[in-house]
Amino acid sequence: MRWLLVAVAITVVALVLQAGLVAFAGYVLLGVYLLSRYLARRWAEDLTATRSCPADAHEIGESAEVAVTLCNTGALPILWVLVEDLLPERMLRRPTRLDVKGKRVRVVGLRAKKSKTIRYTVTFRMRGYYPLGPTMLETGDVFGLHRRHRVVGSPAYVMVYPKVVLLPRYDFASQRPIGEVRLQN
């Protein structure tokens, strides 16, 4: 908002003082401000993201590939968008419950009506119920005057069970099939 006030003030002062070059600079500053505001809003509205990951149950030590597909539905190219597929912080602290391979945070550019896919792999180290996502998108104009944030999609939940281990030499047969034996005197 300060930029808009500064541009209007410069333009008004230049017109009062009949300073043509300064008035031109005020017009340009005002135009850049309005254009950057429009582009930032338009880019944020034209972005969509979808996540695909296996929803079936996993065991400890198994991995799952997560793919986040970004799509620019608008007619204008998006120069930059910061994409972060959110994971709970407590899952990444020591001891880690998730190992992440690949980049789940990226800056990408998208042409008009195009899409890009970001892939990463998570390995489950402990049993539990894991939320993967949602996706946070941040974009803005090239001058850094305006930024827009959006959280898109709902999290995908993955159930992780303990690993099933076979016991090769465990005998379930009773040593006393009839029951307790009475001692005789």
Side-chain angles (χ1 to χ4, degrees):
M1 191 64 172
R2 287 185 292 167
W3 284 96
L4 181 61
L5 295 175
V6 169
V8 169
I10 288 174
T11 306
V12 168
V13 169
L15 289 175
V16 169
L17 298 176
Q18 296 180 349
L21 190 57
V22 176
F24 178 73
Y27 291 142
V28 169
L29 187 59
L30 187 60
V32 165
Y33 177 83
L34 293 175
L35 180 67
S36 66
R37 186 175 179 99
Y38 169 76
L39 285 177
R41 188 178 71 243
R42 178 90 263 137
W43 289 347
E45 291 172 358
D46 290 343
L47 278 172
T48 62
T50 56
R51 178 184 312 94
S52 64
C53 65
D56 54 337
H58 293 279
E59 287 186 351
I60 293 175
E62 289 183 355
S63 297
E65 183 179 84
V66 180
V68 178
T69 303
L70 294 171
C71 186
N72 179 4
T73 59
L76 297 173
I78 298 174
L79 297 182
W80 68 273
V81 59
L82 174 67
V83 182
E84 180 179 5
D85 205 31
L86 299 174
L87 296 175
E89 182 184 334
R90 61 184 163 80
M91 302 288 183
L92 302 172
R93 280 186 284 178
R94 299 280 178 208
T96 57
R97 297 172 64 97
L98 284 176
D99 286 340
V100 180
K101 289 185 181 172
K103 294 183 179 179
R104 62 182 183 85
V105 179
R106 258 202 207 146
V107 177
V108 296
L110 289 169
R111 288 192 255 151
K113 307 287 185 189
K114 297 291 181 184
S115 62
K116 283 191 180 178
T117 302
I118 297 170
R119 298 180 192 281
Y120 65 94
T121 304
V122 292
T123 304
F124 305 103
R125 294 288 171 216
M126 298 176 125
R127 67 182 180 155
Y129 195 56
Y130 292 88
L132 303 175
T135 303
M136 189 176 90
L137 305 174
E138 178 182 346
T139 188
D141 66 305
V142 293
F143 301 111
L145 299 175
H146 305 282
R147 288 199 173 179
R148 299 283 188 251
H149 305 270
R150 282 184 55 205
V151 177
V152 294
S154 57
Y157 294 96
V158 178
M159 178 64 79
V160 179
Y161 292 115
K163 195 169 205 66
V164 176
V165 179
L166 297 176
L167 300 175
R169 298 185 131 206
Y170 192 78
D171 188 15
F172 287 105
S174 174
Q175 297 294 327
R176 300 184 183 132
I178 300 174
E180 293 295 321
V181 178
R182 225 180 240 202
L183 292 177
Q184 297 200 6
N185 292 337

